[in-house]
Amino acid sequence: DAGVTQSPTHLIKTRGQQVTLRCSPKSGHDTVSWYQQALGQGPQFIFQYYEEEERQRGNFPDRFSGHQFPNYSSELNVNALLLGDSALYLCASSFRGTGLSHEQYFGPGTRLTVT
Amino acid sequence: AQSVTQLDSQVPVFEEAPVELRCNYSSSVSVYLFWYVQYPNQGLQLLLKYLSGSTLVKGINGFEAEFNKSQTSFHLRKPSVHISDTAEYFCAVSDRSSASKIIFGSGTRLSIRP
């Protein structure tokens, strides 16, 4: 049973560019959450997708957007990259039904470096 | 709104010694409590969670944590650490009513000395 997978593992972008990160949830999960983890800090919640809609959002600007597909996979898009967007981006999946939505399983992350 | 404070950014300890990683939280609503571990260059792995019931929670790798509602604490303990426990540990909370986003502390780096 594959866990949460993310791609790519690493990438380097230049300021002002746009980037797309991808996440496939654990089998049986229907909800995807995205977190940003800056170096030396704890993860910060960006947003959560369920039924292809953004359900909850953290304190991140509109440059951060997302999408969820019918197969529950998700993308995180960041426009107009800033140096401060350099971080590890973590995807977490969960199953909204039967009161298990608190059980989030994390992927290995995508390390984004903005130069 | 919730917040999590991890009181120690780094904890050095000798191998086979006991360890306690401290965590305090603040919330106006009932919360679930978690401890996650992050090994170098990896994602987060759930160590244990408190949902309800017994305040002493046992997790993987010999770790346990105790929920103290009056002190709003959820400290993590292990009676004897191993070199392989070297990692970053994160305390976290989520709102029981929505159980969606997880609020993390800033982390405690546990370094084990032989």
Side-chain angles (χ1 to χ4, degrees), chain B residues 24-88:
Chain B
N24 286 89
Y25 70 94
S26 173
S27 177
S28 57
V29 298
S30 295
V31 295
Y32 295 130
L33 294 158
F34 311 89
W35 275 98
Y36 284 86
V37 60
Q38 187 174 36
Y39 299 103
N41 300 315
Q42 294 187 28
L44 298 171
Q45 181 181 5
L46 180 65
L47 269 180
L48 49 78
K49 59 187 177 185
Y50 173 76
L51 305 181
S52 64
S54 173
T55 57
L56 183 62
V57 180
K58 294 190 182 298
I60 62 172
N61 301 340
F63 284 92
E64 64 181 31
E66 185 156 19
F67 169 55
N68 187 319
K69 187 174 182 179
S70 62
Q71 297 187 6
T72 60
S73 68
F74 191 54
H75 301 332
L76 181 70
R77 302 185 183 99
K78 186 171 183 178
S80 176
V81 296
H82 189 267
I83 288 287
S84 60
D85 293 323
T86 297
E88 189 89 17

Side-chain angles (χ1 to χ4, degrees), chain A residues 35 37 45 56 101 103-104, chain B residues 38 49 90 99-102:
Chain A
Y35 294 81
Q37 186 180 17
F45 177 78
Q56 194 170 2
S101 57
E103 292 191 4
Q104 295 192 16
Chain B
Q38 187 174 36
K49 59 187 177 185
F90 293 96
S100 53
K101 67 178 180 180
I102 298 177

